[in-house]
Amino acid sequence: DYAGQFFDGRTARAHAVQVTIDAGGVSVRDGAGTLLASWPADSVRIVPGHGRGGALHLREGDTGAARLVLDDAAAPMAVAHHCPNRNRSAGRLRDHWKPILFWGGGALASLAFLLLVGLPWLAGVAARAVPASAEVAWGADVADAIGAMMARRLAGDATPRYCETPSGRAALDRLTARLTAGADLPAPLTVRVLDVPAVNAFALPGGHILLFSQLIAQAETPAEVAGVLAHEIGHVEHRDPLTRVFEQAGLATLLGLLIGDVSGSTVIVAGSQLLLVTAYSRDAERAADAVAVDRLNRAGIDAGAMAGFFERLTAGGGDAAPALGLLSTHPPSAERAAALRAAATGRGAAMSEADWQALRAMCDG
């Protein structure tokens, strides 16, 4: 038996007690012999950070509120002999790996669900909440921002270089009208050709579409250009550009559009850079392909030409598809090419030879 002081955890009062330490554990009794506490041997813990002046501080379990203070020099030896878990700490990983693994796994699963399911769904909802006028204005700013970035990279100034000739514009407008006849688009289309030596095309928010001049130069037939344009129209129809920006840039972009800050530089730069370097999901690409095939079939244009264009770019390597190329933002696959060819019913030309030459010469004017 050892003399000690007992704090019951309910009051600050110290009780003078007699303590028994044996194989059964620690028993605490008051002066009248009344049992105040009985702690099993394997539940007795030394309280870390205490013990100044030689006193031994004990508690039951890792979080017990009651404390026992023993001043007897022999008490530590008795505790060491009978209490195997005396130095066990609640913070040790090996004591709690199962709950940590359980809750950590649950947190990772929740995060994965949010990123893969929740965020895309919320991005779609957010895109539909943006007023059409705000989306159109922002899309125009994003198009100019992309043009400025390309101009700085190629010519050292920030003036977007749009290709424009009367005959080329008329040819492009006639092709666009054929591909959008009867379409239910969220905004009127604005299709422009940007004078950039890269094989690429972008659908932007608000019905804006950019065709890079090198894409037209690399195309062997007008049906290949029509296929790419129809695919971008599919992205416009599903509002994929705005959804993609919301998935990547999140709430800040949405708030900027909803409050009318469509000219804010942060929102414009964020949107343009994201659209330049991020690819659509496979589902979004397949859905845009489906729209493209339907539009091309209705117009009587061969949809298989688009598949051939992608395959030729893939086989051509770096020269045919430079950095920021169509293959990086619209990665093709053999499955998609086969599906395009299988669904194609149109066999007619996309435009007259005169229109095709006028379109190819747009950047010469």
Side-chain angles (χ1 to χ4, degrees):
D1 289 345
Y2 305 92
Q5 291 182 310
F6 182 67
F7 299 85
D8 60 16
R10 296 185 297 272
T11 67
R13 179 186 174 189
H15 302 271
V17 293
Q18 290 296 118
V19 181
T20 300
I21 303 174
D22 56 25
V26 174
S27 299
V28 182
R29 300 179 184 276
D30 62 14
T34 302
L35 183 65
L36 301 181
S38 179
W39 299 342
D42 61 359
S43 73
V44 176
R45 304 285 191 271
I46 295 175
V47 180
H50 295 274
R52 291 182 295 273
L56 178 66
H57 290 240
L58 304 176
R59 69 181 175 200
E60 182 181 20
D62 298 323
T63 59
R67 299 295 177 91
L68 180 62
V69 181
L70 301 174
D71 292 316
D72 195 309
M77 295 180 62
V79 171
H81 183 70
H82 293 294
C83 303
N85 298 324
R86 61 195 177 278
N87 290 317
R88 187 172 180 176
S89 171
R92 283 199 269 187
L93 178 62
R94 70 186 185 189
D95 298 333
H96 299 277
W97 68 270
K98 288 184 179 179
I100 290 175
L101 184 63
F102 175 80
W103 291 110
L108 289 176
S110 299
L111 180 60
F113 179 82
L114 176 63
L115 293 176
L116 298 178
V117 180
L119 188 57
W121 179 81
L122 288 172
V125 173
R128 291 189 293 273
V130 174
S133 59
E135 184 182 353
V136 170
W138 186 57
D141 288 336
V142 169
D144 288 341
I146 291 176
M149 282 191 284
M150 296 293 101
R152 276 194 296 268
R153 178 177 300 177
L154 298 171
D157 63 39
T159 304
R161 288 170 166 77
Y162 294 111
C163 301
E164 194 69 33
T165 63
S167 59
R169 168 51 53 190
L172 185 57
D173 287 346
R174 279 191 286 269
L175 176 60
T176 302
R178 286 183 66 187
L179 294 175
T180 56
D184 183 19
L185 299 175
L189 282 189
T190 301
V191 183
R192 289 183 285 181
V193 177
L194 193 62
D195 190 8
V196 175
V199 181
N200 218 335
F202 288 102
L204 306 176
H208 295 271
I209 294 178
L210 291 181
L211 300 177
F212 284 12
S213 59
Q214 188 65 15
L215 182 144
I216 298 174
Q218 288 285 338
E220 294 181 352
T221 67
E224 293 180 348
V225 175
V228 173
L229 179 56
H231 181 88
E232 299 306 323
I233 291 171
H235 285 307
V236 170
E237 185 171 316
H238 295 141
R239 302 189 83 173
D240 290 337
L242 198 59
T243 301
R244 180 165 55 157
V245 171
F246 286 153
E247 286 180 2
Q248 301 294 324
L251 185 61
T253 302
L254 174 61
L255 291 177
L257 290 172
L258 290 179
I259 65 176
D261 183 24
V262 295
S263 61
S265 59
T266 301
V267 174
I268 294 170
V269 171
S272 57
Q273 291 183 343
L274 285 169
L275 290 168
L276 273 174
V277 301
T278 60
Y280 288 111
S281 69
R282 290 183 179 181
D283 288 343
E285 291 290 4
R286 280 192 288 265
D289 282 348
V291 172
V293 169
D294 180 64
R295 296 284 97 208
L296 292 164
N297 287 344
R298 288 172 182 266
I301 301 171
D302 181 13
M306 181 170 63
F309 189 32
F310 277 124
E311 289 171 339
R312 194 169 69 254
L313 292 179
T314 303
D319 290 339
L324 295 179
L326 196 66
L327 302 184
S328 64
T329 52
H330 296 70
S333 69
E335 172 197 353
R336 285 176 57 198
L340 287 169
R341 286 194 171 95
T345 60
R347 295 292 181 267
M351 58 177 60
S352 68
E353 181 62 25
D355 277 359
W356 177 230
Q357 295 307 320
L359 180 63
R360 292 174 68 85
M362 278 187 77
C363 292
D364 298 335

